[in-house]
Amino acid sequence: MIQREVTDTQNTAWTCVQAYSGLEGKKGDKAAALSENGNGQVPVVCTPGGGAQSVRLELPKNWLEETTDEELLAGISEAQQETKVQQ
């Protein structure tokens, strides 16, 4: 499973992984294809190292290579704000 780690301004380490990335072979390919939305984006779950709640992001399917740390942290922050509004 390929994951990416970023640290925010509060020193919280976030581990981000694409949904279904732990599956291998044909099943993994099929699950990844089914999870992709019509805009070429895939679900990514980011889990903090402590205290905060995990968030789910929709990112371009090439997010591992193309999304900067700053963009990833901005997405996490935005998802956290949306969660607070919904509560």
Side-chain angles (χ1 to χ4, degrees):
M1 177 181 332
I2 299 173
Q3 58 189 30
R4 187 155 155 204
E5 294 186 14
V6 292
T7 302
D8 66 17
T9 57
Q10 278 80 41
N11 239 7
T12 300
W14 292 84
T15 302
C16 299
V17 63
Q18 184 173 329
Y20 308 112
S21 66
L23 299 175
E24 295 181 9
K26 291 181 182 180
K27 288 182 180 180
D29 293 341
K30 184 174 182 177
L34 289 172
S35 69
E36 185 178 327
N37 70 18
N39 295 331
Q41 295 186 321
V42 294
V44 175
V45 177
C46 295
T47 305
Q53 182 177 355
S54 294
V55 296
R56 184 180 173 120
L57 308 174
E58 293 288 327
L59 298 172
K61 61 183 174 181
N62 62 352
W63 71 277
L64 277 168
E65 301 85 16
E66 299 293 325
T67 302
T68 66
D69 287 353
E70 292 78 18
E71 291 169 327
L72 197 51
L73 289 168
I76 290 168
S77 179
E78 185 178 315
Q80 286 179 306
Q81 294 304 319
E82 289 175 8
T83 301
K84 288 179 184 177
V85 169
Q86 292 175 358
Q87 293 176 348

